[in-house]
Amino acid sequence: MAKKSAQRSERRNQVRRMLNRAAKSKVRTSIKKFEEALKANDKSAAEVAMKESFKLLDSAVNKNVMHRNTVDRKKSRMAHAFNKLA
């Protein structure tokens, strides 16, 4: 039988893990929407999707779900792809 503090830690870790997974999933979904808009050459939809992705990426950094450099790299690549569309 595990100690009570270990059980409590495991419950907290489980909640955090689920919240982190949900945040990352939202980010990946928004990036996929952006990429689909790029493939369709739909500049207005790509811009909306890019702004939404940037918002989700920044919130993931603030929640310590993703690393700042990773998010900056993703945002840079998205902005570069969007600018090539124009």
Side-chain angles (χ1 to χ4, degrees), residues 32-44:
K32 284 178 187 174
K33 285 182 183 176
F34 171 74
E35 290 170 349
E36 288 172 5
L38 278 183
K39 282 185 181 177
N41 287 330
D42 188 358
K43 187 170 181 175
S44 61

Side-chain angles (χ1 to χ4, degrees), residues 70-81:
T70 303
V71 168
D72 286 344
R73 182 179 66 244
K74 287 183 184 292
K75 287 169 60 174
S76 175
R77 289 177 180 172
M78 290 173 70
H80 183 72

Side-chain angles (χ1 to χ4, degrees), residues 8-75:
R8 198 164 37 240
S9 293
E10 185 55 36
R11 283 195 307 268
R12 277 199 309 257
N13 289 341
Q14 216 170 12
V15 169
R16 287 185 188 130
R17 187 168 37 249
M18 296 310 290
L19 291 173
N20 290 345
R21 285 181 66 185
K24 286 181 186 179
S25 177
K26 285 181 185 177
V27 166
R28 284 192 297 264
T29 302
S30 68
I31 289 174
K32 284 178 187 174
K33 285 182 183 176
F34 171 74
E35 290 170 349
E36 288 172 5
L38 278 183
K39 282 185 181 177
N41 287 330
D42 188 358
K43 187 170 181 175
S44 61
E47 186 173 12
V48 170
M50 185 173 68
K51 287 181 181 180
E52 179 67 22
S53 296
F54 283 9
K55 187 173 112 176
L56 290 172
L57 285 164
D58 288 335
S59 72
V61 167
N62 291 334
K63 294 175 186 175
N64 291 323
V65 174
M66 298 177 79
H67 194 272
R68 164 58 67 192
N69 292 349
T70 303
V71 168
D72 286 344
R73 182 179 66 244
K74 287 183 184 292
K75 287 169 60 174

